[in-house]
Amino acid sequence: MAVSIDFDSSHLLFPAIVTALLLCLLLALIFRHHRSKASESAPEPAPQQTLKKPVDKVRLLGTLILTLIYFVSMERIGLLFPNIGLGFLLSSIPFVLLLSLLYMHDRTRKRVLVAVINAVLCPLAVWAILSVLFNISLP
Amino acid sequence: MEFLSELTPLFFLLAMSGTLVGIVFGAIPGMTATMAVAVCLPLTYSLGLVNGLALLLGLYVGGISGGLVPAILLNIPGTPSSITTTFDGYPMAQRGEGERALKIAIFASIFGGLFSLVILYLFAPALADFAIRFSYVEKFLIIFLALTVMAALSGSMLVGVFSGVLGMLVSLIGAYDISNGGNGEYRLMFGFMEEYLDGGFSLLPVLVGVFGMATILLEAERGVVEDGSLSRVKISKDKPFKISIFKNQGVNLLRSASIGTFVGLLPGVGGSAASVLSYSQEKAFSKNPEKLGKGAPSGVIASESANNGLTGGALIPLLSLGIPGDSTTAILIGAFTLQGVQVGPLFIGDNPGTWNLMIIAMLVANITMFVIMFYAIRHIVRLVSVPKHLLFPVILMMCVVGAYTINYGIMFDVWTLLIFGLVGYAFHKIGLEIAPFIIGFILGPSAEIYFVKSLESYGTLSIFFTKSWIAIFLWILIAMSITFSIALARQQAKKSKP
């Protein structure tokens, strides 16, 4: 079982083995899936998550879109005011507020006010502790 | 005894406050100990290794313990590991024995925690001493063994192996690390990615993504339903708690704590497996198995001593071999990396002070957990009722902070968080398993180095069988674990057929 390894191409050896193994496992999974479909008498129990629960598309997509805007704006604002963590602070406050409002079910005046206070204080506290006090770099 | 000088008030304060925050995290359904540790990791930056570990270990112990509160009062496991606590804890609460059930669970928890701590203290240095003698060949076989064990205990063996190997493949993206003897060439990516992925995906953003971000996406999909019931629930105490309930539970306690510790030792197998296994053992050995599931204290004891037994157990492979025992200890690797300390067989010998302080932190965390939960359980229940719409956005923000700060400010790490948040979400949707994926991801680069370097040095594949008696012993263990997993899969297949 002698093996000789060329150093110049040694970076490809292990990934090739792992990829091959992964493909074999994928084939096995597909095969098993088809077999269990064929014998419909004993269907595989559906994973818990896919049990028919209504998907809240607004909150799910809203989270993703807000997160995307958050990351992009954090970087942009951070470039305008480099090294003081303002990108983080100025983008986190609206992000936390909007996400809170998105997740809130019963938007009463009091609850919105609490959310606003939360959205201002939490990012401010994190920014003050990490960036100002401990000098840890934030975007 | 030099380490005693590091036992400052701050050390104790961090361990205790970590435990308190952990309990709150654990008690909020959908939030886990893993998430608590991930979110607080950036705070350890400026605390130093010892104080940082005190905080994180407190979070770990608290996070695992807090799950029992909603499990008993609301029939919702606060963390996956307290799932079996609902089986008997909730019926007890419904019978008006809420406080009794909580206190039984708290006693069982501290027993499990302390038991596993003793095992950790005795066993980890011995295992590390043994592992120092390993060459690359044995180290590769250890990782191989870890992967087979993990697969054997996954929900489905094939899915577990697939997830683990996928994690390995993802970890290999980037350059073949020169500092470990690689040739520095890129693989598994396109040219334009070189700028970002030179060192591959960083561990912490990946972890925070699959555990933190993905959890929030799943919650968002379910509509972020507020469960205000915990704040309204009353802790009934029709039947007072008496310590005498544990009179005939010695065997159960010991067996369950041992199972928890042992399961903790196995990489990638989480607390839910520990409590399910010990619960089923209690059912098998109980004199009155028909009472279990209907509010039997022994069921609560089995479940809670096992999931706390996990805490010490999961630290054993981390501190002696560098292999995390569960997802939370995987994040602890991040804390060591932050401080430039490598965990592996040399850790305990080279850092006896840190090792002893970790044990003390765990001890403090366990005692704090007990005191807080036993005497202040009512106030904890109130703390837990922080609305999710306020909490989740802040958690997401903390995930970003963690991802960004881990490598001293790289924006790509924040994007990694989003990418792996989506990966974690997709895993849930298609039924892949996250824990094996993460263990594969962590062990992949080492597995590559050990495998390729062994072949480069010896030039033959047979070296993996002939290197030493340890190698042969490891192969026997690997064969046993594969046989066990096949037997288990067959048994399950038989059960599922009518």
Side-chain angles (χ1 to χ4, degrees), chain A residues 1-3 5 7-8 11 14 32 56 59-60 71 100 105 111 118 130 134 136 138-139, chain B residues 46 156 183 185 187 217 220-221 223-224 389-390 400-401 404-405 425 448 455 459-461:
Chain A
M1 287 200 276
V3 202
I5 294 172
F7 182 70
D8 291 334
H11 64 291
F14 199 67
R32 197 184 66 168
D56 192 331
R59 290 200 167 82
L60 180 62
F71 289 179
S100 287
H105 280 268
R111 297 182 89 186
N118 179 58
L130 294 183
F134 292 143
I136 293 170
L138 288 173
Chain B
S46 41
S156 149
N183 58 12
E185 298 283 338
R187 62 270 170 92
L217 288 177
E221 184 203 78
V224 197
H389 67 257
L390 296 180
V400 172
V401 174
Y404 186 80
T405 50
Y425 175 77
E448 173 176 34
L455 286 184
T460 169
L461 272 173

mmCIF file of all heavy atoms in Angstrom, chain A residues 1-3 5 7-8 11 14 32 56 59-60 71 100 105 111 118 130 134 136 138-139, chain B residues 46 156 183 185 187 217 220-221 223-224 389-390 400-401 404-405 425 448 455 459-461:
data_model
loop_
_atom_site.group_PDB
_atom_site.id
_atom_site.type_symbol
_atom_site.label_atom_id
_atom_site.label_comp_id
_atom_site.label_asym_id
_atom_site.label_seq_id
_atom_site.Cartn_x
_atom_site.Cartn_y
_atom_site.Cartn_z
ATOM 1 N N MET A 1 0.826 -1.207 0.000
ATOM 2 C CA MET A 1 0.000 0.000 0.000
ATOM 3 C C MET A 1 0.865 1.264 0.000
ATOM 4 O O MET A 1 0.604 2.218 0.703
ATOM 5 C CB MET A 1 -0.916 -0.016 1.217
ATOM 6 C CG MET A 1 -2.047 -1.015 1.087
ATOM 7 S SD MET A 1 -3.397 -0.636 2.183
ATOM 8 C CE MET A 1 -2.822 -1.407 3.676
ATOM 9 N N ALA A 2 1.955 1.191 -0.795
ATOM 10 C CA ALA A 2 2.858 2.343 -0.827
ATOM 11 C C ALA A 2 2.204 3.536 -1.522
ATOM 12 O O ALA A 2 1.490 3.372 -2.501
ATOM 13 C CB ALA A 2 4.142 1.956 -1.549
ATOM 14 N N VAL A 3 2.408 4.712 -0.976
ATOM 15 C CA VAL A 3 1.843 5.920 -1.565
ATOM 16 C C VAL A 3 2.945 6.962 -1.628
ATOM 17 O O VAL A 3 3.714 7.093 -0.674
ATOM 18 C CB VAL A 3 0.746 6.540 -0.654
ATOM 19 C CG1 VAL A 3 -0.181 7.425 -1.451
ATOM 20 C CG2 VAL A 3 -0.005 5.499 0.118
ATOM 21 N N ILE A 5 3.508 11.095 -2.227
ATOM 22 C CA ILE A 5 2.750 12.340 -2.336
ATOM 23 C C ILE A 5 3.636 13.441 -2.875
ATOM 24 O O ILE A 5 4.729 13.681 -2.349
ATOM 25 C CB ILE A 5 2.177 12.728 -0.961
ATOM 26 C CG1 ILE A 5 1.146 11.687 -0.542
ATOM 27 C CG2 ILE A 5 1.531 14.103 -1.008
ATOM 28 C CD1 ILE A 5 0.654 11.852 0.856
ATOM 29 N N PHE A 7 4.525 17.095 -3.086
ATOM 30 C CA PHE A 7 4.242 18.210 -2.177
ATOM 31 C C PHE A 7 3.448 19.328 -2.870
ATOM 32 O O PHE A 7 2.547 19.923 -2.293
ATOM 33 C CB PHE A 7 5.560 18.780 -1.614
ATOM 34 C CG PHE A 7 5.347 19.902 -0.646
ATOM 35 C CD1 PHE A 7 4.806 19.658 0.616
ATOM 36 C CD2 PHE A 7 5.666 21.208 -0.987
ATOM 37 C CE1 PHE A 7 4.594 20.687 1.517
ATOM 38 C CE2 PHE A 7 5.452 22.252 -0.085
ATOM 39 C CZ PHE A 7 4.918 21.977 1.161
ATOM 40 N N ASP A 8 3.791 19.566 -4.171
ATOM 41 C CA ASP A 8 3.137 20.671 -4.878
ATOM 42 C C ASP A 8 1.631 20.469 -5.033
ATOM 43 O O ASP A 8 0.880 21.435 -5.156
ATOM 44 C CB ASP A 8 3.774 20.862 -6.259
ATOM 45 C CG ASP A 8 5.186 21.391 -6.129
ATOM 46 O OD1 ASP A 8 5.447 22.047 -5.103
ATOM 47 O OD2 ASP A 8 6.019 21.123 -7.009
ATOM 48 N N HIS A 11 -2.057 19.753 -1.518
ATOM 49 C CA HIS A 11 -3.247 20.450 -1.010
ATOM 50 C C HIS A 11 -4.537 19.883 -1.578
ATOM 51 O O HIS A 11 -5.612 20.200 -1.098
ATOM 52 C CB HIS A 11 -3.137 21.941 -1.331
ATOM 53 C CG HIS A 11 -3.124 22.251 -2.788
ATOM 54 N ND1 HIS A 11 -2.064 21.922 -3.606
ATOM 55 C CD2 HIS A 11 -4.047 22.852 -3.582
ATOM 56 C CE1 HIS A 11 -2.335 22.320 -4.835
ATOM 57 N NE2 HIS A 11 -3.521 22.881 -4.857
ATOM 58 N N PHE A 14 -6.413 15.560 0.280
ATOM 59 C CA PHE A 14 -7.453 15.339 1.298
ATOM 60 C C PHE A 14 -8.818 15.866 0.835
ATOM 61 O O PHE A 14 -9.821 15.162 0.986
ATOM 62 C CB PHE A 14 -7.021 15.955 2.624
ATOM 63 C CG PHE A 14 -7.761 15.421 3.804
ATOM 64 C CD1 PHE A 14 -7.598 14.101 4.205
ATOM 65 C CD2 PHE A 14 -8.640 16.220 4.512
ATOM 66 C CE1 PHE A 14 -8.286 13.597 5.303
ATOM 67 C CE2 PHE A 14 -9.334 15.729 5.611
ATOM 68 C CZ PHE A 14 -9.156 14.410 5.995
ATOM 69 N N ARG A 32 -31.590 5.799 -0.302
ATOM 70 C CA ARG A 32 -32.453 5.488 0.840
ATOM 71 C C ARG A 32 -33.789 6.228 0.735
ATOM 72 O O ARG A 32 -34.852 5.689 1.028
ATOM 73 C CB ARG A 32 -31.753 5.873 2.139
ATOM 74 C CG ARG A 32 -32.379 5.212 3.347
ATOM 75 C CD ARG A 32 -31.732 5.675 4.607
ATOM 76 N NE ARG A 32 -32.000 7.082 4.840
ATOM 77 C CZ ARG A 32 -31.744 7.702 6.001
ATOM 78 N NH1 ARG A 32 -31.214 7.020 6.991
ATOM 79 N NH2 ARG A 32 -32.030 8.969 6.165
ATOM 80 N N ASP A 56 -44.378 32.372 8.650
ATOM 81 C CA ASP A 56 -44.592 33.809 8.727
ATOM 82 C C ASP A 56 -43.617 34.484 7.762
ATOM 83 O O ASP A 56 -42.503 34.842 8.130
ATOM 84 C CB ASP A 56 -44.341 34.276 10.168
ATOM 85 C CG ASP A 56 -44.818 35.699 10.376
ATOM 86 O OD1 ASP A 56 -44.809 36.474 9.406
ATOM 87 O OD2 ASP A 56 -45.204 36.024 11.515
ATOM 88 N N ARG A 59 -42.210 38.134 8.570
ATOM 89 C CA ARG A 59 -41.162 38.241 9.597
ATOM 90 C C ARG A 59 -39.866 37.585 9.144
ATOM 91 O O ARG A 59 -38.776 38.085 9.428
ATOM 92 C CB ARG A 59 -41.650 37.628 10.910
ATOM 93 C CG ARG A 59 -42.743 38.475 11.541
ATOM 94 C CD ARG A 59 -42.920 38.190 13.019
ATOM 95 N NE ARG A 59 -43.733 39.222 13.623
ATOM 96 C CZ ARG A 59 -45.060 39.250 13.584
ATOM 97 N NH1 ARG A 59 -45.726 38.300 12.967
ATOM 98 N NH2 ARG A 59 -45.733 40.227 14.157
ATOM 99 N N LEU A 60 -39.969 36.457 8.420
ATOM 100 C CA LEU A 60 -38.758 35.765 7.964
ATOM 101 C C LEU A 60 -38.017 36.617 6.930
ATOM 102 O O LEU A 60 -36.823 36.903 7.085
ATOM 103 C CB LEU A 60 -39.129 34.404 7.379
ATOM 104 C CG LEU A 60 -37.959 33.572 6.875
ATOM 105 C CD1 LEU A 60 -37.002 33.230 7.990
ATOM 106 C CD2 LEU A 60 -38.438 32.286 6.215
ATOM 107 N N PHE A 71 -26.006 45.127 7.612
ATOM 108 C CA PHE A 71 -24.586 44.831 7.373
ATOM 109 C C PHE A 71 -23.978 45.830 6.384
ATOM 110 O O PHE A 71 -22.869 46.311 6.575
ATOM 111 C CB PHE A 71 -24.416 43.403 6.847
ATOM 112 C CG PHE A 71 -24.670 42.340 7.887
ATOM 113 C CD1 PHE A 71 -24.581 40.994 7.578
ATOM 114 C CD2 PHE A 71 -24.999 42.689 9.195
ATOM 115 C CE1 PHE A 71 -24.814 40.019 8.533
ATOM 116 C CE2 PHE A 71 -25.232 41.718 10.156
ATOM 117 C CZ PHE A 71 -25.142 40.378 9.815
ATOM 118 N N SER A 100 -37.454 45.024 16.213
ATOM 119 C CA SER A 100 -38.378 44.923 17.349
ATOM 120 C C SER A 100 -39.809 45.174 16.887
ATOM 121 O O SER A 100 -40.725 44.437 17.251
ATOM 122 C CB SER A 100 -38.031 45.953 18.419
ATOM 123 O OG SER A 100 -36.879 45.589 19.091
ATOM 124 N N HIS A 105 -46.159 41.955 18.232
ATOM 125 C CA HIS A 105 -47.482 41.563 17.727
ATOM 126 C C HIS A 105 -48.532 42.632 17.968
ATOM 127 O O HIS A 105 -49.272 42.996 17.072
ATOM 128 C CB HIS A 105 -47.894 40.234 18.361
ATOM 129 C CG HIS A 105 -47.237 39.074 17.688
ATOM 130 N ND1 HIS A 105 -47.804 38.384 16.652
ATOM 131 C CD2 HIS A 105 -46.017 38.518 17.885
ATOM 132 C CE1 HIS A 105 -46.979 37.431 16.238
ATOM 133 N NE2 HIS A 105 -45.882 37.492 16.981
ATOM 134 N N ARG A 111 -45.671 49.828 24.406
ATOM 135 C CA ARG A 111 -44.714 48.807 23.961
ATOM 136 C C ARG A 111 -43.748 49.387 22.938
ATOM 137 O O ARG A 111 -42.566 49.038 22.929
ATOM 138 C CB ARG A 111 -45.460 47.614 23.379
ATOM 139 C CG ARG A 111 -46.340 46.926 24.417
ATOM 140 C CD ARG A 111 -47.028 45.737 23.828
ATOM 141 N NE ARG A 111 -46.198 44.544 23.963
ATOM 142 C CZ ARG A 111 -46.503 43.379 23.422
ATOM 143 N NH1 ARG A 111 -47.591 43.248 22.701
ATOM 144 N NH2 ARG A 111 -45.724 42.339 23.590
ATOM 145 N N ASN A 118 -35.194 50.573 24.331
ATOM 146 C CA ASN A 118 -34.331 49.383 24.222
ATOM 147 C C ASN A 118 -33.368 49.537 23.044
ATOM 148 O O ASN A 118 -32.174 49.257 23.161
ATOM 149 C CB ASN A 118 -35.225 48.154 24.044
ATOM 150 C CG ASN A 118 -34.436 46.870 23.893
ATOM 151 O OD1 ASN A 118 -33.653 46.525 24.763
ATOM 152 N ND2 ASN A 118 -34.636 46.181 22.784
ATOM 153 N N LEU A 130 -17.551 48.292 24.795
ATOM 154 C CA LEU A 130 -16.517 47.672 23.958
ATOM 155 C C LEU A 130 -15.612 48.702 23.303
ATOM 156 O O LEU A 130 -14.394 48.617 23.385
ATOM 157 C CB LEU A 130 -17.159 46.774 22.895
ATOM 158 C CG LEU A 130 -17.891 45.548 23.432
ATOM 159 C CD1 LEU A 130 -18.418 44.710 22.289
ATOM 160 C CD2 LEU A 130 -16.960 44.688 24.282
ATOM 161 N N PHE A 134 -13.132 49.513 26.458
ATOM 162 C CA PHE A 134 -12.112 48.478 26.235
ATOM 163 C C PHE A 134 -11.324 48.673 24.945
ATOM 164 O O PHE A 134 -10.438 47.877 24.630
ATOM 165 C CB PHE A 134 -12.758 47.089 26.234
ATOM 166 C CG PHE A 134 -13.291 46.670 27.571
ATOM 167 C CD1 PHE A 134 -14.470 45.948 27.676
ATOM 168 C CD2 PHE A 134 -12.607 46.981 28.733
ATOM 169 C CE1 PHE A 134 -14.966 45.555 28.910
ATOM 170 C CE2 PHE A 134 -13.087 46.590 29.972
ATOM 171 C CZ PHE A 134 -14.278 45.880 30.059
ATOM 172 N N ILE A 136 -12.060 48.083 21.866
ATOM 173 C CA ILE A 136 -12.176 46.971 20.920
ATOM 174 C C ILE A 136 -12.766 47.527 19.633
ATOM 175 O O ILE A 136 -13.727 48.296 19.677
ATOM 176 C CB ILE A 136 -13.093 45.875 21.494
ATOM 177 C CG1 ILE A 136 -12.414 45.231 22.708
ATOM 178 C CG2 ILE A 136 -13.425 44.836 20.456
ATOM 179 C CD1 ILE A 136 -13.311 44.316 23.485
ATOM 180 N N LEU A 138 -14.892 48.164 16.504
ATOM 181 C CA LEU A 138 -16.224 47.827 15.997
ATOM 182 C C LEU A 138 -16.325 48.435 14.593
ATOM 183 O O LEU A 138 -15.581 49.361 14.274
ATOM 184 C CB LEU A 138 -17.298 48.415 16.913
ATOM 185 C CG LEU A 138 -17.462 47.743 18.281
ATOM 186 C CD1 LEU A 138 -18.430 48.525 19.151
ATOM 187 C CD2 LEU A 138 -17.945 46.321 18.141
ATOM 188 N N PRO A 139 -17.238 47.946 13.777
ATOM 189 C CA PRO A 139 -17.299 48.468 12.396
ATOM 190 C C PRO A 139 -17.514 49.985 12.362
ATOM 191 O O PRO A 139 -18.218 50.509 13.204
ATOM 192 C CB PRO A 139 -18.512 47.771 11.797
ATOM 193 C CG PRO A 139 -18.754 46.590 12.637
ATOM 194 C CD PRO A 139 -18.220 46.895 13.994
ATOM 195 N N SER B 46 -11.350 41.446 26.704
ATOM 196 C CA SER B 46 -10.561 42.298 27.571
ATOM 197 C C SER B 46 -10.449 41.721 28.979
ATOM 198 O O SER B 46 -9.790 42.297 29.828
ATOM 199 C CB SER B 46 -11.222 43.668 27.627
ATOM 200 O OG SER B 46 -12.609 43.503 27.699
ATOM 201 N N SER B 156 -29.953 9.886 12.642
ATOM 202 C CA SER B 156 -29.825 8.900 11.583
ATOM 203 C C SER B 156 -28.352 8.832 11.235
ATOM 204 O O SER B 156 -27.718 9.867 10.999
ATOM 205 C CB SER B 156 -30.637 9.340 10.365
ATOM 206 O OG SER B 156 -30.018 8.872 9.196
ATOM 207 N N ASN B 183 1.332 23.484 1.687
ATOM 208 C CA ASN B 183 2.047 24.176 0.619
ATOM 209 C C ASN B 183 1.456 25.552 0.299
ATOM 210 O O ASN B 183 1.894 26.213 -0.638
ATOM 211 C CB ASN B 183 2.113 23.307 -0.641
ATOM 212 C CG ASN B 183 0.739 22.916 -1.146
ATOM 213 O OD1 ASN B 183 -0.272 23.474 -0.696
ATOM 214 N ND2 ASN B 183 0.672 21.980 -2.075
ATOM 215 N N GLU B 185 -1.244 26.436 -1.063
ATOM 216 C CA GLU B 185 -2.067 26.565 -2.288
ATOM 217 C C GLU B 185 -3.549 26.603 -1.931
ATOM 218 O O GLU B 185 -3.978 25.982 -0.963
ATOM 219 C CB GLU B 185 -1.804 25.365 -3.217
ATOM 220 C CG GLU B 185 -0.382 25.236 -3.704
ATOM 221 C CD GLU B 185 -0.060 26.223 -4.822
ATOM 222 O OE1 GLU B 185 -0.997 26.688 -5.488
ATOM 223 O OE2 GLU B 185 1.135 26.538 -5.006
ATOM 224 N N ARG B 187 -7.624 25.874 -2.510
ATOM 225 C CA ARG B 187 -8.452 24.811 -3.096
ATOM 226 C C ARG B 187 -9.910 25.042 -2.723
ATOM 227 O O ARG B 187 -10.215 25.800 -1.798
ATOM 228 C CB ARG B 187 -8.009 23.400 -2.634
ATOM 229 C CG ARG B 187 -8.129 23.184 -1.123
ATOM 230 C CD ARG B 187 -6.830 23.589 -0.463
ATOM 231 N NE ARG B 187 -6.991 23.631 0.994
ATOM 232 C CZ ARG B 187 -6.732 22.599 1.778
ATOM 233 N NH1 ARG B 187 -6.298 21.473 1.271
ATOM 234 N NH2 ARG B 187 -6.898 22.706 3.064
ATOM 235 N N LEU B 217 -33.774 33.097 12.789
ATOM 236 C CA LEU B 217 -34.519 32.940 11.527
ATOM 237 C C LEU B 217 -35.663 31.942 11.701
ATOM 238 O O LEU B 217 -36.779 32.158 11.210
ATOM 239 C CB LEU B 217 -33.583 32.476 10.410
ATOM 240 C CG LEU B 217 -32.594 33.523 9.891
ATOM 241 C CD1 LEU B 217 -31.663 32.921 8.847
ATOM 242 C CD2 LEU B 217 -33.337 34.710 9.279
ATOM 243 N N ALA B 220 -38.341 33.621 13.620
ATOM 244 C CA ALA B 220 -39.036 34.601 12.774
ATOM 245 C C ALA B 220 -40.038 33.880 11.876
ATOM 246 O O ALA B 220 -41.166 34.341 11.687
ATOM 247 C CB ALA B 220 -38.034 35.378 11.940
ATOM 248 N N GLU B 221 -39.612 32.720 11.380
ATOM 249 C CA GLU B 221 -40.496 31.951 10.501
ATOM 250 C C GLU B 221 -41.760 31.509 11.242
ATOM 251 O O GLU B 221 -42.843 31.469 10.683
ATOM 252 C CB GLU B 221 -39.726 30.736 9.992
ATOM 253 C CG GLU B 221 -40.503 29.919 9.007
ATOM 254 C CD GLU B 221 -40.001 28.504 8.941
ATOM 255 O OE1 GLU B 221 -40.319 27.703 9.845
ATOM 256 O OE2 GLU B 221 -39.279 28.208 7.991
ATOM 257 N N GLY B 223 -43.103 33.212 13.479
ATOM 258 C CA GLY B 223 -43.877 34.403 13.810
ATOM 259 C C GLY B 223 -43.513 35.057 15.131
ATOM 260 O O GLY B 223 -44.232 35.932 15.595
ATOM 261 N N VAL B 224 -42.407 34.629 15.755
ATOM 262 C CA VAL B 224 -41.962 35.189 17.044
ATOM 263 C C VAL B 224 -43.145 35.313 18.014
ATOM 264 O O VAL B 224 -43.506 36.399 18.473
ATOM 265 C CB VAL B 224 -41.270 36.561 16.880
ATOM 266 C CG1 VAL B 224 -40.459 36.906 18.127
ATOM 267 C CG2 VAL B 224 -40.348 36.582 15.684
ATOM 268 N N HIS B 389 -39.550 40.170 21.301
ATOM 269 C CA HIS B 389 -39.338 41.217 20.289
ATOM 270 C C HIS B 389 -38.291 42.240 20.739
ATOM 271 O O HIS B 389 -37.738 42.961 19.932
ATOM 272 C CB HIS B 389 -40.661 41.895 19.902
ATOM 273 C CG HIS B 389 -41.286 42.703 20.998
ATOM 274 N ND1 HIS B 389 -42.363 42.250 21.727
ATOM 275 C CD2 HIS B 389 -40.978 43.911 21.505
ATOM 276 C CE1 HIS B 389 -42.691 43.170 22.619
ATOM 277 N NE2 HIS B 389 -41.869 44.178 22.512
ATOM 278 N N LEU B 390 -38.018 42.275 22.039
ATOM 279 C CA LEU B 390 -36.938 43.145 22.505
ATOM 280 C C LEU B 390 -35.613 42.389 22.528
ATOM 281 O O LEU B 390 -34.552 42.945 22.282
ATOM 282 C CB LEU B 390 -37.242 43.651 23.925
ATOM 283 C CG LEU B 390 -38.466 44.541 24.087
ATOM 284 C CD1 LEU B 390 -38.631 44.948 25.545
ATOM 285 C CD2 LEU B 390 -38.358 45.782 23.215
ATOM 286 N N VAL B 400 -23.375 39.863 15.750
ATOM 287 C CA VAL B 400 -22.545 40.654 14.837
ATOM 288 C C VAL B 400 -21.272 41.119 15.549
ATOM 289 O O VAL B 400 -20.165 41.010 15.011
ATOM 290 C CB VAL B 400 -23.340 41.878 14.317
ATOM 291 C CG1 VAL B 400 -22.439 42.810 13.537
ATOM 292 C CG2 VAL B 400 -24.498 41.415 13.464
ATOM 293 N N VAL B 401 -21.437 41.584 16.781
ATOM 294 C CA VAL B 401 -20.275 42.039 17.542
ATOM 295 C C VAL B 401 -19.273 40.893 17.710
ATOM 296 O O VAL B 401 -18.070 41.054 17.481
ATOM 297 C CB VAL B 401 -20.714 42.575 18.930
ATOM 298 C CG1 VAL B 401 -19.508 42.917 19.775
ATOM 299 C CG2 VAL B 401 -21.607 43.790 18.781
ATOM 300 N N TYR B 404 -17.549 40.066 14.379
ATOM 301 C CA TYR B 404 -16.641 41.112 13.899
ATOM 302 C C TYR B 404 -15.359 41.198 14.727
ATOM 303 O O TYR B 404 -14.272 41.391 14.203
ATOM 304 C CB TYR B 404 -17.366 42.469 13.920
ATOM 305 C CG TYR B 404 -16.555 43.583 13.319
ATOM 306 C CD1 TYR B 404 -16.482 43.746 11.937
ATOM 307 C CD2 TYR B 404 -15.851 44.472 14.124
ATOM 308 C CE1 TYR B 404 -15.733 44.761 11.378
ATOM 309 C CE2 TYR B 404 -15.097 45.496 13.564
ATOM 310 C CZ TYR B 404 -15.044 45.640 12.196
ATOM 311 O OH TYR B 404 -14.306 46.638 11.643
ATOM 312 N N THR B 405 -15.508 41.030 16.039
ATOM 313 C CA THR B 405 -14.342 41.264 16.904
ATOM 314 C C THR B 405 -13.392 40.074 16.981
ATOM 315 O O THR B 405 -12.237 40.253 17.357
ATOM 316 C CB THR B 405 -14.780 41.612 18.343
ATOM 317 O OG1 THR B 405 -15.722 40.642 18.773
ATOM 318 C CG2 THR B 405 -15.408 42.971 18.417
ATOM 319 N N TYR B 425 -30.190 27.444 8.958
ATOM 320 C CA TYR B 425 -31.638 27.448 8.700
ATOM 321 C C TYR B 425 -31.985 26.349 7.681
ATOM 322 O O TYR B 425 -32.915 25.572 7.885
ATOM 323 C CB TYR B 425 -32.035 28.829 8.184
ATOM 324 C CG TYR B 425 -33.468 28.963 7.765
ATOM 325 C CD1 TYR B 425 -34.468 29.091 8.721
ATOM 326 C CD2 TYR B 425 -33.826 28.960 6.419
ATOM 327 C CE1 TYR B 425 -35.798 29.215 8.338
ATOM 328 C CE2 TYR B 425 -35.151 29.082 6.030
ATOM 329 C CZ TYR B 425 -36.131 29.214 6.991
ATOM 330 O OH TYR B 425 -37.437 29.322 6.617
ATOM 331 N N GLU B 448 -6.729 16.705 8.102
ATOM 332 C CA GLU B 448 -5.970 16.765 6.851
ATOM 333 C C GLU B 448 -4.460 16.715 7.126
ATOM 334 O O GLU B 448 -3.744 15.913 6.529
ATOM 335 C CB GLU B 448 -6.308 18.057 6.103
ATOM 336 C CG GLU B 448 -5.410 18.230 4.883
ATOM 337 C CD GLU B 448 -5.753 19.445 4.041
ATOM 338 O OE1 GLU B 448 -6.165 20.460 4.627
ATOM 339 O OE2 GLU B 448 -5.593 19.364 2.818
ATOM 340 N N LEU B 455 1.219 10.130 5.721
ATOM 341 C CA LEU B 455 1.542 9.464 4.458
ATOM 342 C C LEU B 455 2.863 9.987 3.895
ATOM 343 O O LEU B 455 3.657 9.211 3.346
ATOM 344 C CB LEU B 455 0.421 9.697 3.440
ATOM 345 C CG LEU B 455 -0.871 8.909 3.676
ATOM 346 C CD1 LEU B 455 -1.854 9.164 2.551
ATOM 347 C CD2 LEU B 455 -0.595 7.420 3.795
ATOM 348 N N GLY B 459 5.024 6.970 3.763
ATOM 349 C CA GLY B 459 4.878 6.518 2.381
ATOM 350 C C GLY B 459 4.028 5.282 2.197
ATOM 351 O O GLY B 459 4.106 4.627 1.153
ATOM 352 N N THR B 460 3.252 4.923 3.193
ATOM 353 C CA THR B 460 2.384 3.759 3.015
ATOM 354 C C THR B 460 1.109 3.899 3.835
ATOM 355 O O THR B 460 1.135 4.445 4.941
ATOM 356 C CB THR B 460 3.103 2.444 3.411
ATOM 357 O OG1 THR B 460 2.140 1.399 3.455
ATOM 358 C CG2 THR B 460 3.781 2.560 4.765
ATOM 359 N N LEU B 461 0.031 3.400 3.272
ATOM 360 C CA LEU B 461 -1.261 3.478 3.972
ATOM 361 C C LEU B 461 -1.317 2.530 5.161
ATOM 362 O O LEU B 461 -2.052 2.746 6.120
ATOM 363 C CB LEU B 461 -2.402 3.131 3.014
ATOM 364 C CG LEU B 461 -3.002 4.272 2.188
ATOM 365 C CD1 LEU B 461 -3.982 3.715 1.182
ATOM 366 C CD2 LEU B 461 -3.700 5.287 3.087
#
